[in-house]
Amino acid sequence: STQSTWDLMIRIIKRGISFPLKTKANGLLSPCCAVIGAQWGDEGKGKLVDILSGEFDICGRYNGGANAGHTVKVGQTKFIFHLLPCGLLYPQTQNILGNGVVVHIPTMFEELEQLVKAKIGWEGRLLLSNRAHIVTQMHLNIDASMEKTAGIGTTKRGIGPTYTTKMLRKGLRVGDLVNWELFVKKYKGLYSELQEFFKFDSYDMEKELDELKKYRGIMVDKNMIIDCVDFIHNQRRIGKRVLVEGANATMLDVDHGTYPYVTSSSTNIGGACTGLGIPPNAIESRIGVVKAYTTRVGGGPFPTELKDKMGAYLQDVGHEYGATTGRKRRCGWLDLSVVRYAHKINDFSSLIITKLDILDQVDEIKIGMAYKVGDTVLPDIMPSTIDELEKVEPVYKTMPGWKTDISRVKYYKDLPQNAKNYLEFVESSLGIPITWIGVGPGREEIIQKQ
């Protein structure tokens, strides 16, 4: 409505962010918008979710668990959320951990302490789907044990084993906590079954159960456990706007990523529907998050990876260390084959290019345009196996850098011409509009491209 549009404009003006209200492609006017990583994760999804979530009524996570790492800088304060939705930073925004998320409850409450210290109220604004699965110490122990032999490069946060028990139809769900006696019975039964099969390191079951009972009391008393499908349906019916927050990214999707070097959930738009119970036609805008270069953590093929001084430079200047594990991220040039593949799956309405400022002092910038094996350029199809992907070499386009600090630029027209050339080349090569550009870590260090 006209009134709601004016209300939105007033909120934006009060926050001091300079961008016009244009179209639904940038998410600002969309009734339901999804933010999805288009590479191997760590693209800076939290930055855009933070910008948008202040304008939405609901912010919902749909996949993954505490293996994500969304970093948001507000003034001089840095918030690192592994599990919590970024919308919790705004007092008017309701937040949901959907049924597609796996929840380590102690981590959730530890992260809430960041908000308590910053004097940001969370009570009544964090809800959990009763169908979301619970990560327990047995899952953590199994994960650590399996990683010793598998070497996939997981975060050892129990994510894979929790999704495994979910698919085995043996899992513990958040809704099970309501009936405590029945939950304890299910918990002990699962422990016995998994111990027999995985032979994981034993631990003090009663200690974990006591801790879970304490948190269960808080969650029940504060009415945090809900039917997510019914809640979102009813909120959408009365005109509430929903922001869908993805974790991990397209190339880590369990089906479409670089299997087996992937996460254990559906990270793409399909996961958004199943992980929150939102119908596909409701998600009007889908914004792909693309770092101006490429990074990945853990093992697996990485065609544009730089193992030279330039790779070390990007790692150092970009502070490329995992928010969840602290591990160094592998760095390389932007790979458009990856982004095109992500677009085929997600049909992005627009893109945000993040961390463009990290390229400020680079003389020449390369962009991966295609893959080749020997002298043969391959069709625009992402190889499905590790063996195939490890054989490819990228075909590069080289562009001049801009050698200028852009971190204080507020408007697209004020960017150096070579920076605009870089962005417009990416935009035209992909056929996807770029609507947002990150030029620094702060909340205000973002440009809207008109």
Side-chain angles (χ1 to χ4, degrees), residues 19 34 60 79 94 110 121 230 241 303 355 358 364 395 450:
F19 49 75
F79 296 89
Q94 193 77 263
E110 287 169 14
D230 190 59
R241 302 171 67 225
K355 302 188 84 165
I358 304 305
E364 287 188 335
V395 178
Q450 299 183 44

Side-chain angles (χ1 to χ4, degrees), residues 24-36 48-49 52 56 58-60 62 241-246 269 272 276 278 282-287 349-350 436:
K24 293 176 181 177
N26 62 23
L28 284 169
L29 292 179
S30 177
C32 184
C33 173
V35 177
I36 299 170
L48 182 61
V49 173
L52 292 176
F56 280 76
I58 299 164
C59 178
Y62 65 83
R241 302 171 67 225
V242 181
L243 180 63
V244 178
E245 179 180 357
I269 192 66
L276 279 169
I278 296 179
I283 305 177
E284 191 173 54
S285 302
R286 299 153 307 282
I287 304 179
S349 310
S350 71
W436 302 93

Side-chain angles (χ1 to χ4, degrees), residues 51 66 143 179 199 247 254 277 290 301 309 326 340 355 369 386:
I51 290 291
D143 203 1
N179 185 333
K199 304 291 191 291
V254 69
V290 179
K309 290 182 180 179
R340 277 194 296 269
K355 302 188 84 165
M369 299 298 297
I386 298 302

